[in-house]
């Protein structure tokens, strides 16, 4: 087997069919053989400085993003009200979109804190992450621990934590009627982008099954162990503190003021978060594994880098360096591009990148990736949409 991995003959036969389904050449299936390289060999290909975390550099990104957030807030509070009637109606959507995108970048920095990729000091990472995530109504420690388990079990049908696909026999009876027509598919996408994140936090929607009801706000829920429970209380306190601050703002300036200034951009943040995660882990070229085949390295490689254009930088490249992030989650985002370039020759066919425009990819994945089923190997599952 070559250094870049190898596909089975059956997989090669599927490639043409996949290309037709996707409309581009980025649909070559990921190899599912045991990789001919180790994690240590991948790490040796990356310049050592890429693993160094700098407090000054990390905080420079926090300051950069928060300065833009403040400037956009000034635009909303001072400039938009002074605009003549037709213009201010058009200015609000511009504010919402821009603020939502920048705050998604803030979200990504808090996510880095949860991975201990912000600095060399875990306490500092947790303080920064708690403040930033709480400001976006995210229970920091609750999500930190469930997300850590996602990284430990990526690609596992039994133990992964988010966007875990179902087998065909587990799909509800109405599935073909929802996904099988453009209207139902569009409704599904809209619901997923608007309600997906709060439903995941409150009801574990799209997450792995637990023996009882699972909720990210429940310190005694099945997601967490005894050592983590006190931190779940702290996460809840952070969200409650921000909720109280929003209540006081609504009492002072009015409910619709809070909706315009804070809630609508937050909806956009949540939509980007769901979409980014969905597209990273949902693709016809990506396999999933049951316990008979899964191992950590193949699971970590079962993720897709995407191209969001200028938003790659706004989102601190979490979009186009996600493979490297899953391999080395404590690496700071500002080194991830260099690391990605370094590991591509080692990974070969195991590295997956799809440049399909985001809107087109979202529609395609919603159409093609309905459930998973095994093909040649019983423990390896691929997306399908045939009923």
């Amino acid at each position: 087997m070559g250094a870049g991995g190898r596909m089975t003959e059956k997989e090669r036969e599927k490639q043409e069919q996949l290309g037709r389904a996707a409309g581009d050449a980025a649909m070559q299936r990921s190899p599912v053989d045991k990789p001919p390289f180790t994690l240590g060999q991948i790490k040796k290909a990356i310049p050592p400085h890429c693993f160094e975390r700098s407090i000054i550099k990390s905080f420079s990104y926090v300051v950069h993003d928060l300065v833009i957030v403040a400037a956009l807030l000034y635009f909303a509070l001072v400039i938009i009200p002074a605009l003549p009637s037709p213009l201010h109606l058009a200015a609000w959507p511009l504010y919402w979109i821009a603020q939502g995108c920048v705050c998604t970048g803030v979200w990504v920095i808090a996510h880095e804190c949860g991975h201990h990729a912000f600095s060399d000091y875990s306490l500092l990472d947790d303080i920064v992450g708690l403040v930033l995530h709480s400001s976006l109504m995210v229970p920091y420690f609750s999500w930190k621990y469930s997300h850590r388990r996602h990284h430990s079990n990526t690609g596992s049908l039994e133990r992964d934590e988010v966007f875990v696909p179902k087998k065909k026999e587990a799909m509800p009876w109405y599935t073909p009627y929802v996904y099988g027509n453009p209207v139902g598919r569009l409704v599904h996408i809209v619901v997923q982008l608007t309600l997906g994140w709060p439903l995941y936090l409150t009801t574990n929607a799209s997450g792995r099954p637990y023996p009882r009801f699972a909720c990210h706000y429940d310190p005694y829920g099945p997601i967490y162990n005894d050592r983590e429970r006190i931190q779940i209380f702290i996460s809840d306190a952070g969200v409650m503190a921000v909720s109280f601050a929003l209540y006081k703002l609504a009492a002072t300036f009015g409910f619709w003021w809070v909706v315009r200034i804070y809630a609508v951009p937050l909806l956009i943040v949540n939509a980007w978060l769901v979409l980014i995660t969905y597209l990273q882990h949902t693709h016809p070229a990506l396999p999933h594994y049951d316990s008979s085949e899964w191992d950590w390295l193949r699971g970590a490689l079962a993720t897709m880098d995407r191209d969001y254009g200028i938003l790659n930088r706004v989102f601190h490249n979490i979009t186009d360096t996600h493979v490297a992030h899953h391999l080395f989650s404590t690496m700071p985002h500002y080194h991830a591009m260099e690391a990605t370039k370094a590991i591509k020759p080692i990974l070969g066919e195991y590295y997956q990148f799809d440049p399909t425009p985001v809107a087109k990819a979202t529609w395609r994945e919603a159409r093609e990736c309905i459930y998973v089923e095994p093909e040649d190997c019983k423990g390896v599952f691929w997306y399908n949409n045939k009923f």
Side-chain angles (χ1 to χ4, degrees):
M1 191 183 317
R6 183 183 64 204
M7 298 176 68
T8 66
E9 190 62 32
K10 195 77 171 180
E11 287 167 345
R12 292 189 185 280
E13 291 174 4
K14 284 283 185 180
Q15 183 177 331
E16 185 178 346
Q17 176 186 345
L18 286 168
R20 286 196 300 269
D24 63 52
M27 295 295 295
Q28 178 175 305
R29 278 184 169 180
S30 175
V32 295
D33 296 329
K34 295 277 187 181
F37 46 76
T38 65
L39 186 64
Q41 290 171 326
I42 301 171
K43 187 173 183 179
K44 285 181 181 178
I46 300 173
H49 71 266
C50 289
F51 297 96
E52 296 175 0
R53 295 163 291 202
S54 165
I55 292 179
I56 294 176
K57 195 162 189 176
S58 293
F59 267 114
S60 73
Y61 285 94
V62 176
V63 173
H64 172 271
D65 284 0
L66 293 184
V67 165
I68 298 176
V69 168
L72 290 170
L73 188 60
Y74 178 84
F75 176 75
L77 295 176
V78 177
I79 296 178
I80 292 181
L83 294 174
S85 182
L87 289 179
H88 87 268
L89 293 176
W92 279 113
L94 294 177
Y95 164 74
W96 294 332
I97 294 170
Q99 191 73 288
C101 290
V102 175
C103 286
T104 302
V106 174
W107 202 107
V108 171
I109 293 175
H111 154 268
E112 291 238 316
C113 293
H115 280 294
H116 191 29
F118 187 82
S119 76
D120 292 333
Y121 306 96
S122 295
L123 179 60
L124 177 62
D125 288 7
D126 285 340
I127 291 172
V128 174
L130 179 65
V131 171
L132 295 181
H133 259 170
S134 296
S135 70
L136 297 170
M137 301 298 287
V138 178
Y140 169 73
F141 288 108
S142 308
W143 184 82
K144 169 185 172 178
Y145 289 125
S146 68
H147 187 65
R148 180 178 295 176
R149 293 183 182 107
H150 158 62
H151 273 258
S152 298
N153 300 282
T154 306
S156 167
L157 287 177
E158 290 93 355
R159 300 187 60 83
D160 201 352
E161 285 283 345
V162 63
F163 284 116
V164 183
K166 291 182 172 63
K167 299 177 184 178
K168 185 176 183 179
E169 59 269 22
M171 300 300 292
W173 64 268
Y174 54 80
T175 300
Y177 303 100
V178 174
Y179 296 96
N181 68 88
V183 175
R185 201 176 304 130
L186 179 62
V187 170
H188 168 76
I189 292 172
V190 171
V191 171
Q192 180 172 269
L193 295 183
T194 54
L195 300 179
W197 176 241
L199 285 175
Y200 173 65
L201 292 178
T202 55
T203 70
N204 195 41
S206 84
R208 58 165 284 194
Y210 282 95
R212 59 188 178 88
F213 180 74
C215 171
H216 278 73
Y217 300 101
D218 180 7
Y220 297 99
I223 302 176
Y224 309 109
N225 60 44
D226 291 339
R227 290 182 301 173
E228 297 165 347
R229 302 200 194 285
I230 185 63
Q231 292 175 304
I232 310 309
F233 280 110
I234 294 172
S235 297
D236 292 348
V239 172
M240 290 177 65
V242 173
S243 299
F244 180 75
L246 292 172
Y247 165 76
K248 297 297 287 185
L249 286 171
T252 304
F253 299 104
F255 172 78
W256 290 112
W257 184 93
V258 173
V259 169
R260 288 196 307 272
I261 299 299
Y262 178 84
V264 177
L266 184 64
L267 283 174
I268 293 174
V269 172
N270 293 347
W272 277 125
L273 166 64
V274 170
L275 184 62
I276 290 168
T277 309
Y278 174 73
L279 291 180
Q280 285 165 345
H281 298 287
T282 308
H283 194 288
L286 296 180
H288 285 75
Y289 305 92
D290 68 13
S291 57
S292 69
E293 282 287 331
W294 182 87
D295 62 65
W296 184 87
L297 183 55
R298 282 192 292 172
L301 292 170
T303 187
M304 183 69 62
D305 281 354
R306 303 274 190 170
D307 185 9
Y308 285 64
I310 192 173
L311 291 178
N312 289 329
R313 294 192 65 181
V314 178
F315 298 158
H316 302 302
N317 297 106
I318 195 66
T319 47
D320 55 344
T321 64
H322 202 65
V323 175
H325 172 65
H326 263 270
L327 293 170
F328 306 104
S329 60
T330 59
M331 179 189 297
H333 68 85
Y334 40 81
H335 293 315
M337 287 295 293
E338 183 178 358
T340 296
K341 292 177 182 177
I343 66 176
K344 283 181 183 180
I346 303 295
L347 299 185
E349 289 181 331
Y350 286 87
Y351 174 76
Q352 291 290 326
F353 173 79
D354 188 345
T356 305
V358 172
K360 181 180 178 181
T362 303
W363 187 255
R364 180 191 66 201
E365 268 58 294
R367 183 185 67 235
E368 302 292 330
C369 302
I370 310 303
Y371 60 86
V372 292
E373 63 179 4
E375 290 182 2
D376 302 328
C377 179
K378 290 184 178 179
V380 180
F381 292 73
W382 298 98
Y383 280 108
N384 207 328
N385 64 349
K386 307 300 182 207
F387 287 97

